[in-house]
Amino acid sequence: MNQKEKDQKENNLLLLFTSSYPYGDVAESFLDSEILFLSRSFDKVILIPQSLPSLLERVNRKLPENIEIEDSLLNEQLPLKGVRNKISLALNAFISTDFYREILSKPEILFQISLFKSSVIFFGNTVIIKRWLQKYIETHNFDFSTTVFYTYWLSLPTSGVSMVKKKIPSLKIVSRAHGLDLYSERHVPPYIPHRPEVFQYLNRLYLISDHGRKYVLDKYPMFEDICKVYRLGVNDLGFLTEASSDGIFRIVSCSYLVPVKRIDLLIQALAELGKIKSSRTFEWTHIGYGILQKDLQNLADSLLPKNVIPKFIGHLPNKEVIAYYQNNCVDVFVNVSASEGIPVSIMEAQSCGIPVIATAVGGTPEIVSNEVGVLLSENPFPREIAEAICSMMENEAEAMVKRINSRDNWENKYNSNKNFEIFVQDLKKL
């Protein structure tokens, strides 16, 4: 950093609430790029993870020198196991005025057990975060004029910090909103507590897609001034993935094996594909693990014809996912999720020049089009997916154009160097 940059840099602090970062290898790995820009723009960044990931995903990251980790919130969280924990959460909720305001605004909570349970769990945990933050502030000499509280997900910490802001109006809060933390329809029941009440305390709500911004404003147009779209991004990986040249057509998907990802639908489509093109050989590789892994492996074994070879390679650290794209041929990346924000997995595939087939859900139409692959309908039949893969396979010249367009789309819209630079500039203006 030269002297001019030092002179321009303010004495400031960022407190960043995460789900499990920096300890999680997969779920928030895309924060690796953003954290570098934050560390350059703030004198100090304090990471505050809410929970630890599974042992399989746990990792020790090397972070910039001005980034600290505050682990004490981890010790305050109550798992939803045991009668004592459940009683504690309920008592926390019952002393929260926000819990009663929620009931007044949505009286149906009292008459639907699932809504009541979701609300109690939410406000019970939010009170824990509120108490923790109040104590943390008491023991630290914060200058609120140069301190920003940033919640990476529009979730429990956002509500907890907002409750503290009621007593400290000068406290500045910003939050990102992605997918599961934004779209209530992705929950069972389809309900996220403390909306829109939490919005009134935010200085900024950063949406990762135009679709997300429209979703908020369709429901709560009064909050237009705080809603801004700042896209995520991934680094230039420094290589382009090669297409297959040995007659085998290679398909890759990458996600947790959970219901919303609809990998069962993809397997049905691949079975259809194998029948349509019985003279061709296909290799399908899925990267990722989850609760449905055994069931999906059994489904693949029972449905897929011999000319479709499935490979479930399970969990890979993000660096190994990138290495896979560098060392293996990939002809198309497929995502058939029922709901998404904008998948970072698609950004990574496009940065490698891989064409993408994906469903038109959430913000996905903002990153996938027929120029870079095939945009499917929201709820495609297996035949539609199979025909989309066929179209990528049958016209090599067109597929090559889509590979070029895919890379260009990443460069123009999802290059982390560009996106995070403008994001931190807006963050600094608060």
Side-chain angles (χ1 to χ4, degrees), residues 291-314:
I291 57 173
L292 298 179
Q293 182 161 342
K294 186 175 180 180
D295 291 340
L296 292 169
Q297 286 177 320
N298 290 337
L299 182 65
D301 290 340
S302 64
L303 286 187
L304 296 181
K306 291 182 179 180
N307 63 324
V308 180
I309 304 165
K311 293 185 177 181
F312 288 85
I313 59 178

Side-chain angles (χ1 to χ4, degrees), residues 184-247:
S184 59
E185 295 79 9
R186 288 187 61 173
H187 295 260
V188 180
Y191 163 62
I192 301 178
H194 215 207
R195 306 282 168 86
E197 289 76 15
V198 71
F199 293 155
Q200 65 185 303
Y201 296 102
L202 293 178
N203 296 80
R204 290 278 195 279
L205 176 58
Y206 293 112
L207 292 309
I208 67 167
S209 68
D210 294 325
H211 184 276
R213 184 176 188 275
K214 183 177 184 301
Y215 179 86
V216 173
L217 296 184
D218 282 349
K219 292 187 172 187
Y220 315 114
M222 71 287 291
F223 295 109
E224 182 176 8
D225 288 346
I226 68 167
C227 292
K228 292 194 172 188
V229 176
Y230 281 94
R231 302 183 188 280
L232 300 179
V234 297
N235 294 335
D236 186 350
L237 301 175
F239 63 87
L240 295 177
T241 302
E242 294 185 4
S244 300
S245 58
D246 60 356

